[in-house]
Amino acid sequence: MMVWILAPGLLLADEVNLQAQPRLCVVPVGEQSCSLQLQVSWTSATFRDVCLHLNGQPESLQCWQAQQAGTFSVALTQTQNILIQLLDAENLEVLSEVGIPVITRDLRDTRRRRRHAWSVF
């Protein structure tokens, strides 16, 4: 019985938390891609050697050695969804990942009329 109680605690001790802002990238009307200032931060309960990786790019954005936390900022222009991964530097295992959808939306279509249709003024 004690093994089951301790097991979840052991898993949480090795947890890595990855966060990215903004959470959404909107393609402006008439444009092909969205531009954003991506800010990424991560924390770990243990010291780690990790690298931050962006989908579609062969090289890592940033690497840290023997750290428990890190932050990184980069300007991006993307046409498709963004996947950010935090990888173990030694075996390239994915420790955590965050997806940022790229959407095309005409915001003019979602505006509600401020006046009633029957109003003269």
Side-chain angles (χ1 to χ4, degrees):
M1 183 75 172
M2 234 156 83
V3 173
W4 291 105
I5 294 171
L6 292 176
L10 293 174
L11 292 174
L12 291 176
D14 205 27
E15 185 177 309
V16 176
N17 183 22
L18 179 64
Q19 295 181 344
Q21 292 292 332
R23 296 182 187 260
L24 182 68
C25 192
V26 180
V27 177
V29 176
E31 301 269 332
Q32 297 290 327
S33 60
C34 70
S35 297
L36 71 150
Q37 183 67 34
L38 180 65
Q39 296 182 359
V40 180
S41 62
W42 66 273
T43 58
S44 173
T46 59
F47 287 92
R48 296 182 165 275
D49 294 344
V50 296
C51 289
L52 191 65
H53 187 76
L54 182 66
N55 64 323
Q57 291 190 356
E59 295 185 16
S60 297
L61 294 173
Q62 174 77 32
C63 290
W64 294 268
Q65 293 183 345
Q67 298 292 316
Q68 281 186 291
T71 59
F72 182 76
S73 181
V74 64
L76 292 177
T77 301
Q78 291 288 118
T79 57
Q80 50 187 292
N81 293 343
I82 303 164
L83 180 64
I84 303 147
Q85 296 178 320
L86 192 66
L87 307 175
D88 185 290
E90 294 175 16
N91 60 16
L92 301 180
E93 174 189 354
V94 177
L95 301 172
S96 186
E97 62 184 22
V98 173
I100 300 174
V102 174
I103 64 168
T104 302
R105 184 171 177 194
D106 188 352
L107 297 177
R108 294 174 296 179
D109 293 343
T110 60
R111 281 196 230 156
R112 293 185 345 181
R113 294 179 61 109
R114 293 194 182 262
R115 295 186 203 136
H116 295 287
W118 50 264
S119 176
V120 177
F121 299 104

